[in-house]
Amino acid sequence: MIYNSFDNPGLVKVLTFLQTHNTEYLSGQDLSDVLRISRVAVWKHIKKIQELGYTVESKQKLGYKLISNSELLLPWEITSNLKTKKIGQQAYYFDSIDSTQNQALKMAEDPANEGAVIIAARQTGGRGRSGRKWVSPKGGIWISIILQPEFDISITTLFPIASALALSLAIEKTFLIKPELKWPNDLTIKGKKLAGMLVDVSLESNKIENLVLGVGINFDVNVKQIEKSLKGTPNFYGVASLSEQNQKVKPIQLVQTFLLELEKIYKSLSAKQTKKIISEWTQRSSTIGKNVELNTVDGKIKGKAVKVDEDGALIVSDNNKTHKIIAGDIVH
Ligand code: BTN
């Protein structure tokens, strides 16, 4: 099933009315009169709303009352009261898809889809960095965001780091915990992976045509199951789930907060305020200042992680020399 934020006006009308009048019972006739739709349409929408995971109580002679919202990241929930200007103002939700990233890449060709977010409850072919698979069962937040950046091509390499910072700020605001940032763009808790970022950029004559940011967040996943299916994967270092921290935060709160933080950081990048982003990232980093060992295309590199430079590259120094690492994985 696919849903988007503009295709189901009747359903959204009924739902919004139930949400804004959730202290009372509303009769089918009243809903029909107020919303100017037939009683049959009201009934069909209520049925669908229930199927989507909302609890709607139905009492004879009294009518309908909304008891609780759905836990699904449905498009109208994403756009409702979203404080951003552009990012997330269009949303698409899939029950199941191969990869939101692949879907977003197809949609990115249409300029009208700028800012759109593609969300899936589960992915059957989720993609991670360096061609790795990304295990994406129900319970996680699997999301891709279509952007048409104004910023210079040189900033692209900093973008994943900046996005990881945005997610870390959003998690801090909602969960009141501070995940560590692990170079290049992982979020961890006690050294285990909580979230990762994947960026696909399409360039045209030295200009960014579009950019798709893919974000995978282990929100409420079965850690043991994911760890089992990733055992033996190169550079795998364990999985953490946000639900282990706090059960009360709803996925929608985190997504909306993240989209706002991302838009702020995106604006800072466009205004070339890269120093501030690097310094905030460094403060939250579990990498800088540590002795690290990395797998890179040029082989293993060991040394002290000194800093992240203006391109997002990691500067590592050993006794003899300084390495600038553009891509790689920290193994220790
Ligand atoms: C990483 O390897 O750390 C990056 C993981 C990115 C996973 C996300 S989930 C949503 C989007 N769709 C994908 O297929 N991958 C990204």
Side-chain angles (χ1 to χ4, degrees):
M1 263 300 193
I2 311 171
Y3 297 97
N4 64 39
S5 33
F6 38 86
D7 255 4
N8 302 283
L11 183 146
V12 175
K13 247 189 190 174
V14 174
L15 178 62
T16 312
F17 203 78
L18 289 174
Q19 284 173 327
T20 48
H21 297 80
N22 63 354
T23 52
E24 56 195 302
Y25 285 92
L26 303 158
S27 75
Q29 190 61 53
D30 285 350
L31 283 165
S32 158
D33 291 346
V34 177
L35 303 173
R36 293 165 186 267
I37 48 177
S38 70
R39 283 198 64 166
V40 176
V42 168
W43 181 80
K44 276 192 183 154
H45 289 315
I46 299 250
K47 219 167 148 243
K48 186 80 217 169
I49 288 167
Q50 288 169 326
E51 275 168 33
L52 286 169
Y54 296 87
T55 312
V56 182
E57 201 174 70
S58 155
K59 272 203 177 149
Q60 250 186 3
K61 293 196 182 136
L62 283 173
Y64 305 104
K65 184 171 158 185
L66 181 73
I67 306 294
S68 67
N69 278 318
S70 172
E71 293 276 305
L72 303 178
L73 290 165
L74 293 160
W76 44 85
E77 296 292 348
I78 303 272
T79 51
S80 155
N81 298 321
L82 180 65
K83 308 263 177 326
T84 62
K85 281 229 157 64
K86 191 98 200 169
I87 297 182
Q89 292 299 341
Q90 290 182 67
Y92 296 79
Y93 169 90
F94 293 77
D95 276 343
S96 177
I97 196 172
D98 62 337
S99 154
T100 56
Q101 197 74 357
N102 296 349
Q103 177 66 27
L105 281 168
K106 278 185 238 153
M107 292 173 60
E109 281 164 27
D110 182 350
N113 288 329
E114 184 187 3
V117 301
I118 322 298
I119 293 188
R122 62 186 275 268
Q123 299 183 114
T124 52
R127 297 198 280 118
R129 270 194 327 113
S130 314
R132 289 188 285 259
K133 70 171 177 182
W134 182 263
V135 183
S136 323
K138 273 212 163 90
I141 298 178
W142 322 124
I143 177 166
S144 292
I145 302 155
I146 301 172
L147 299 167
Q148 285 155 14
E150 297 281 301
F151 54 67
D152 196 76
I153 200 164
S154 61
I155 286 184
T156 325
T157 48
L158 195 58
F159 185 73
I161 284 176
S163 309
L165 172 64
L167 181 58
S168 156
L169 291 165
I171 290 177
E172 189 178 352
K173 288 197 169 148
T174 47
F175 278 83
L176 310 176
I177 55 160
K178 228 174 173 169
E180 305 106 35
L181 293 173
K182 178 174 177 176
W183 188 87
N185 34 39
D186 288 0
L187 277 83
T188 64
I189 287 185
K190 295 191 188 119
K192 301 211 166 174
K193 185 148 170 171
L194 191 64
M197 314 271 149
L198 176 71
V199 175
D200 287 305
V201 193
S202 148
L203 301 173
E204 173 125 351
S205 53
N206 243 12
K207 220 184 146 284
I208 306 173
E209 204 176 28
N210 57 60
L211 181 156
V212 174
L213 168 68
V215 186
I217 310 168
N218 295 325
F219 190 88
D220 184 13
V221 293
N222 186 329
V223 167
K224 291 246 154 60
Q225 231 162 47
I226 300 189
E227 285 187 336
K228 206 170 148 197
S229 49
L230 285 177
K231 221 171 172 189
T233 309
N235 307 317
F236 168 66
Y237 61 87
V239 173
S241 175
L242 274 171
S243 54
E244 290 165 345
Q245 307 298 316
N246 184 337
Q247 301 271 342
K248 289 207 184 92
V249 182
K250 301 278 176 218
I252 191 72
Q253 289 171 270
L254 177 59
V255 170
Q256 289 191 323
T257 313
F258 169 57
L259 295 176
L260 186 59
E261 291 301 325
L262 183 68
E263 192 167 90
K264 282 192 216 157
I265 277 192
Y266 185 59
K267 276 191 196 140
S268 302
L269 283 179
S270 306
K272 296 203 169 96
Q273 290 163 354
T274 53
K275 281 209 172 72
K276 190 173 154 245
I277 290 170
I278 293 169
S279 125
E280 276 194 62
W281 184 92
T282 305
Q283 275 172 33
R284 292 165 179 264
S285 153
S286 58
T287 304
I288 307 304
K290 301 270 163 58
N291 285 318
V292 291
E293 188 181 319
L294 288 117
N295 281 338
T296 73
V297 276
D298 304 320
K300 271 207 179 352
I301 292 180
K302 264 184 169 182
K304 187 167 181 178
V306 181
K307 63 169 186 173
V308 159
D309 75 3
E310 63 280 5
D311 306 327
L314 184 66
I315 307 299
V316 174
S317 80
D318 61 22
N319 296 333
N320 314 314
K321 61 175 190 199
T322 301
H323 307 265
K324 173 171 170 146
I325 303 164
I326 295 165
D329 288 290
I330 296 175
V331 280
H332 293 296

